[in-house]
Amino acid sequence: MPRYARAEREALADLLLDLGPDAPTVAEGWTTRDLAAHLVVRERRPDAAGGILLPPLRRYGEAVRRRVAARPYAELVARVRRPPVWSPVSNRFTDELVNTMEFFIHHEDVRRARPGWLSRDLSNGLQAVLWRRASVLARLALRRFPADLLVQAPGFGERTAGRGGARLRLVGAPGELALFLSGRQRVARVQIDGPATPAERLRTASLGF
């Protein structure tokens, strides 16, 4: 059985070590150290990980993340590479479901912050998994966007989204759509067809959960 989450995790950990703790990432204001600390908290501190999605817990979660980030960098990367077996998001039952897109996106956060980056040639299997995740994310991320959107991944499927209005078509490979819909529009290679004003608004909208 393919282990896409494990492969993306290992590749990210290798890249984090290669670049060191102070390299930039696509996540604004975060270095590679910050990103590694985020992943450690997400998997090992369920009391603080809620702050990733829940605004009332955000301040506490960020305080924990900063404390974790102060640990030796090699230790942080080792913890990213080897999550605990008890982690609710990274155990053998949840890993592929929860982490394939998560680690793909964060791997690209590091890759695409470097000059001269190129899109990877992803396997059909990985792209199919990313499309399944991205098609769900499309409904969530675009649920309040004022347009009638058709999200298409040629060869994999399409999904409607948005709350109605101008008609737009968002087209890209599954991995590119995953990045776009998670708020990485500036580094996602997609095509947007439709009226210029709502299309530009989509490119700069605050997307993600």
Side-chain angles (χ1 to χ4, degrees):
M1 180 178 179
R3 297 291 303 277
Y4 300 120
R6 168 54 60 185
E8 291 297 312
R9 181 192 295 274
E10 291 283 358
L12 172 58
D14 289 345
L15 187 56
L16 290 173
L17 282 182
D18 286 345
L19 296 180
D22 301 316
T25 73
V26 170
E28 187 174 352
W30 273 14
T31 63
T32 41
R33 178 185 291 277
D34 294 313
L35 179 57
H38 158 76
L39 291 170
V40 170
V41 169
R42 175 180 173 271
E43 295 185 316
R44 296 170 181 267
R45 290 294 302 269
D47 61 314
I52 297 169
L53 296 177
L54 302 175
L57 299 177
R58 198 155 292 161
R59 181 177 296 180
Y60 172 68
E62 179 61 10
V64 172
R65 191 195 65 78
R66 288 180 180 273
R67 288 199 298 272
V68 169
R71 294 176 176 171
Y73 183 67
E75 175 188 322
L76 288 178
V77 177
R79 291 188 173 207
V80 170
R81 193 186 298 275
R82 295 289 179 265
V85 295
W86 52 262
S87 173
V89 297
S90 302
N91 61 66
R92 65 191 181 95
F93 300 107
T94 62
D95 190 40
E96 282 298 299
L97 178 65
V98 176
N99 288 326
T100 298
M101 189 165 77
E102 176 81 10
F103 276 85
F104 168 81
I105 287 173
H106 288 316
H107 186 191
E108 294 301 316
D109 280 342
V110 179
R111 290 186 71 254
R112 299 189 185 205
R114 304 171 69 195
W117 64 267
L118 298 172
S119 296
R120 287 186 285 157
D121 185 13
L122 305 179
S123 70
N124 281 345
L126 176 55
Q127 291 200 77
V129 172
L130 291 173
W131 169 245
R132 288 196 291 272
R133 309 290 186 270
S135 65
V136 174
L137 180 58
R139 285 281 178 88
L140 294 171
L142 299 171
R143 66 191 182 280
R144 295 191 181 94
F145 191 80
D148 182 6
L149 280 141
L150 179 62
V151 181
Q152 292 182 317
F156 294 91
E158 61 184 36
R159 173 64 62 97
T160 58
R163 70 181 190 193
R167 291 191 174 185
L168 295 177
R169 187 168 70 111
L170 174 63
V171 186
E176 303 300 324
L177 291 172
L179 289 163
F180 188 96
L181 294 166
S182 64
R184 279 87 171 166
Q185 294 104 306
R186 68 183 177 88
V187 297
R189 291 180 169 169
V190 300
Q191 175 183 332
I192 302 176
D193 298 324
T197 297
E200 181 59 25
R201 183 174 180 181
L202 181 60
R203 288 193 180 277
T204 58
S206 178
L207 300 180
F209 288 104

